Amino acid sequence: MPDTHEAVVDALRENHDRPHGLQRTITAEELVEAAESFDEPDVLITALLELMTAYEHTGEHRKSPVVFARVLKLWETAPESFSQWEAHQVFWRFKWVTTSLLQVPEVSLATVRGWIDQMRIRYEAAGHGMQPVAAMRYHVASHTGAGVADAYDLWATRPRTELSDCEACETRHLAWHQVTADDDAGALDVWRPVLDGAMGCSDEPQMSQARALLPLLRAGRPDDARSHHLTGYRRVRGNTGMQDEVGLHLEFCALSRNEGRGLEILAENRPLFEATGAPLGRLHFLTGVEVLLARLVEDGHGDTAVAGPPGRNWRAGELLAHVRTESDRLTTAFDARNATTAVGDQRRTRLARRPLLDQPLLPLGLRASVTLSSAAGGTKPAGTAPVAQTEVPDDFVSLVREARRMAAAGHPGETRLWNRVAERLAADPSPYEDQLGPEDLLQAELAAHRAYRLAKEDRVAETGAELERAAGLYERLGMPWHVLAVRTRALAWASSGLETDDEAPQQDPAAGHGAARPDADAIRAGLDEAPREAERLKAEFPLTDRDSGADGQPAERVQEYLNVLFSCAFAAYQEALRQPPEATGPVMERFEERAGALRAEAQRLSVPHQVANARQLAADLAGRAGDTVRAEQELRAALEEVDGSGRPWRGSRLRAMLAQILLRKDEPAEAAELLHRAVSDAARYDDTDFALAPTYALLGHAATHLGDSGGAVRHLSEAAARFDQDGAHDQAADARLQLADVLARSGQQADAVAVLESVLSDEAAPALDERVLAQARLTLGRGLRELGEFLPAAEEFLRLADTVAGWEDDRAVHTLVAGEAATALAMADRWDATGTAYERAVSSHAEAPNPGLIVHMMCEFARLTLESRGAEGLDTALEHLVRADGVRAAVPEETEDFAPWHAAGSVHYRRARVLAAADRFPEALTEAEAAVAAHERGGEHGEVPRAEAVRIAALIEGNGLARFEAAVARLTAAAARCRAADLPEAAHVLDALRQDYLNR
């Protein structure tokens, strides 16, 4: 503990720079104890005010009034020991004490009102206005529900004073008054300057953002609600002084049907269950928890594991009961203290709210990995949007008949029905009835269905075993076409698992020892034999007119015959995929032969959906080979076939593929239309196998190209959430990186940072590819720097340095990261660490050059050194610029990604500003004109930085050298040049400075 006056002051200054939290509060308490040992009260006053600040920002409202009572006693006995700022704080913090007393139900209203009376007396004696006093009376009225209208009028109609709350905080109270009056539109109008970022403080906008979430949803502004959740929550998470706000974010997640996200927030804020210093804030937090848990229990997820008070494991139902008991106790205490039901009414209103959206406000853009488990044992991903599910008959005979009907039509809803058939038989084999035909037929159909599901999981050997079982059953039933179709399908699926060098037999790990796949020669021989066997069957069992179904669907023999041809074409397609895209020769010839046979026979037999299948395979190979013209032609022709097939559900994949081609051709409008139709049809026809995640990612790209940033945000967020549900976490991270880029480019940098932090969370990051992780951390560091959060930015760059340390194949990344880290540390004013980082960047540049970055870093160091050290840092700042000149001069001509004119202009520009700050105006003007000349060499790319260099030259010329006429002439010519270059904003800036000089 410090034992001298100076040491305590230094320790207080150091503690003041720490973030609010337990460590800062404990240190503040220790420093008060240390300050008490000195005779001079000045250091004790500072220490007490610092302790009160710590209590205020960590929710220790029980303790704050006790500290202020000591400050008041010192104010009365030694007012001369208070600095001007500290004297102001005495009056300012009367408000803190009032709100702290309201937080504690054991403190009577008479005590609270007596405190406000004392505040009024002291304000009057000191000549201060009464508006802050009226504000405190309004807060009491709002809390108790008694006399609210009159108290509001007395407060809101009085003029503000220097002791009024800041405008941002007063705006919050004014808007909340409108919300409680059921005027969401009026509240949002009042809130606009805070929510838009035009005004703020240390508590704002995050407090208003939390309160505005539900009004925004009710007002039909879900995108704004999503944005304020993303940016607001990251400012309040884990903060014991922001329990109210965390509770409101939990409530928002529940009422926007994002319960999974709510559970993640609950887990991140587990310590708040133990924060008891602000009972009213605690009640509001627990109410948010109660809203979330009640939604889960009501939806049948009472057994879901959730985060609760430390010390034990919790299920949603158990924690709900615990929270409800504590909340009831607190509510009763407040209503008893207030002699009203206002607090209880507010809680009951919140608990009675129902979800505000029919579908989840999904996704919020963040990673919500929590899975909700129901008491019945089922699971579903949090926030999964429902689709139009196929109706499942209760009667077993009807169920099987409907499954067969859908299977014959190729309807994707058959999957749900076959699953239910299997479940019914597993539970009780007795439902089977003879009117369904031979039982072996049903078993064969179920085996074929199981094979399809296994094939989707790439379990090749198990797939083959199920198909062989189906073939055996069909053979016993005397159904040769089915036997041939099933065995050909088994060969085709086996071919999809072969590698390019596929001569050797391969082992399927999922099948255990001894389950070797057929080798490539055996597969090919079987596939070559299949068409010949089909021809033999056609001779024995001719495909006659009777084989075209009466309902327009192909009859069984035609269907199985074409399935054989499709399997052969699919196997040839798989073999072609294993070749380089531009390959020609026997493999491609085999594909063209097989696909051509399928198309010709399907056309002859009038089965258009099989024609479409042949065209789809051809289109995919053409697209991969770069032949987008043929790919587009084939896909459009395939869609025409589907339109005439009576099977509209088969168009979703074709539309998604065509949209990809159109995006490559920069035709996003039609691509977006196709993708929306694909998603809509997949939902309409219960196509659970359709790849929604990549489709939403494509929709995000299309929306970005169309300039629809809101749509891009929604679609990329949806894509990321669905990739997570599919276990494709790298693809989810990539979608979120794209999402963050869209958010940043649309001016929502704070939203982008929240998304990136989700990508890099402790839970998500370990599962990501190292390169994806590095890109995310680099983007996050830059985003934090742009938001002015320099120390967190530097920490991200230093973590990134650890990530890339072993990348011997990409040393240039080391230079990039070292330069970014050095600059961020300097911006964070951590000069003790910047020197090492700076020299590491220079050293890395010598090994893996990145001259543009290093020149920029050195220019930034020149600026930051002067800002930090003033005139004492002039020589050091100029030395950085000398080094920058040396770096750019050493770059060979025609170096890729390096613009010599831009580097030269940047150094001259920065030197001009450094010299001007040191009042060395003639030298500064010379450098500014050199910067103008350098940017001149950049042509149209140099116009914007040239205009800025002209502005600096004019400022030096006018303000530094009093040459106003010359400065005006310079600005007139430059503004005209900017207008000619279609740079109206730059012209406006120059014109404004010119007019200022003319006015002088």
Side-chain angles (χ1 to χ4, degrees), residues 355-372:
L356 297 170
L357 302 173
D358 294 332
Q359 302 294 333
L361 178 59
L362 246 184
L364 296 174
L366 306 181
R367 186 174 186 271
S369 60
V370 176
T371 298
L372 306 179

Side-chain angles (χ1 to χ4, degrees), residues 22-51:
L22 182 61
Q23 182 57 53
R24 177 169 173 173
T25 301
I26 291 174
T27 302
E29 290 172 336
E30 292 173 347
L31 291 175
V32 167
E33 184 179 344
E36 288 173 334
S37 63
F38 304 116
D39 293 334
E40 305 89 344
D42 56 342
V43 68
L44 179 58
I45 292 166
T46 304
L48 288 169
L49 290 173
E50 173 62 28
L51 177 58

Side-chain angles (χ1 to χ4, degrees), residues 43-335:
V43 68
L44 179 58
I45 292 166
T46 304
L48 288 169
L49 290 173
E50 173 62 28
L51 177 58
M52 192 177 178
T53 300
Y55 284 155
E56 179 72 15
H57 286 89
T58 53
E60 291 288 354
H61 293 286
R62 293 180 184 275
K63 299 178 180 179
S64 185
V66 177
V67 177
F68 190 64
R70 295 184 64 185
V71 173
L72 273 186
K73 185 174 181 180
L74 289 168
W75 175 250
E76 292 167 351
T77 58
E80 72 284 352
S81 298
F82 285 73
S83 69
Q84 184 177 355
W85 179 84
E86 290 167 341
H88 178 80
Q89 289 300 302
V90 171
F91 292 97
W92 183 269
R93 297 191 186 197
F94 267 98
K95 300 179 296 181
W96 290 12
V97 174
T98 301
T99 53
S100 290
L101 294 174
L102 272 182
Q103 283 272 349
V104 183
E106 293 84 3
V107 176
S108 69
L109 282 185
T111 299
V112 178
R113 290 183 173 125
W115 184 263
I116 296 174
D117 287 340
Q118 185 180 163
M119 175 182 175
R120 176 185 58 79
I121 292 169
R122 290 179 180 268
Y123 271 44
E124 285 179 341
H128 295 304
M130 290 295 106
Q131 195 259 14
V133 177
M136 294 303 103
R137 286 179 174 149
Y138 167 73
H139 292 326
V140 173
S142 178
H143 172 69
T144 62
V148 177
D150 289 342
Y152 177 81
D153 288 340
L154 287 171
W155 163 52
T157 57
R158 288 179 181 269
R160 287 174 46 78
T161 76
E162 65 174 355
L163 288 171
S164 297
D165 284 343
C166 79
E167 284 193 76
C169 288
E170 283 212 338
T171 297
R172 176 180 75 250
H173 297 309
L174 292 167
W176 192 246
H177 181 80
Q178 301 290 90
V179 171
T180 57
D182 296 325
D183 183 7
D184 287 338
L188 293 171
D189 189 55
V190 171
W191 251 323
R192 184 177 294 113
V194 175
L195 298 180
D196 289 351
M199 64 172 64
C201 65
S202 61
D203 290 334
E204 291 293 347
Q206 59 267 31
M207 293 181 76
S208 288
Q209 286 175 314
R211 285 160 177 75
L213 293 173
L214 296 186
L216 285 166
L217 279 188
R218 291 192 291 257
R221 293 168 57 183
D223 288 347
D224 289 335
R226 177 193 294 109
S227 176
H228 289 303
H229 168 70
L230 290 177
T231 58
Y233 171 67
R234 67 180 293 268
R235 291 171 176 263
V236 303
R237 63 186 172 203
N239 187 340
T240 54
M242 293 279 183
Q243 290 177 285
D244 293 39
E245 288 68 30
V246 174
L248 289 169
H249 281 281
L250 288 167
E251 181 179 6
F252 167 74
C253 289
L255 300 184
S256 65
R257 298 186 183 273
N258 279 279
E259 294 90 344
R261 171 65 181 153
L263 291 182
E264 289 190 341
I265 290 176
L266 196 61
E268 290 178 337
N269 292 276
R270 199 173 188 183
L272 267 58
F273 283 103
E274 298 181 304
T276 59
L280 186 60
R282 175 176 173 78
L283 173 60
H284 291 160
F285 165 68
L286 293 177
T287 302
V289 176
E290 195 174 350
V291 171
L292 174 66
L293 296 175
R295 292 293 314 145
L296 294 175
V297 172
E298 183 177 325
D299 287 344
H301 302 300
D303 285 340
T304 296
V306 297
R312 59 163 288 187
N313 296 324
W314 295 89
R315 298 287 174 181
E318 298 168 340
L319 183 58
L320 175 60
H322 174 81
V323 166
R324 189 165 281 163
T325 299
E326 174 68 1
S327 296
D328 286 343
R329 183 188 68 78
L330 288 169
T331 301
T332 300
F334 278 110
D335 283 348

Side-chain angles (χ1 to χ4, degrees), residues 12-29:
L12 284 168
R13 187 180 296 111
E14 180 181 350
N15 197 44
H16 182 77
D17 291 336
R18 289 193 178 102
H20 288 290
L22 182 61
Q23 182 57 53
R24 177 169 173 173
T25 301
I26 291 174
T27 302
E29 290 172 336

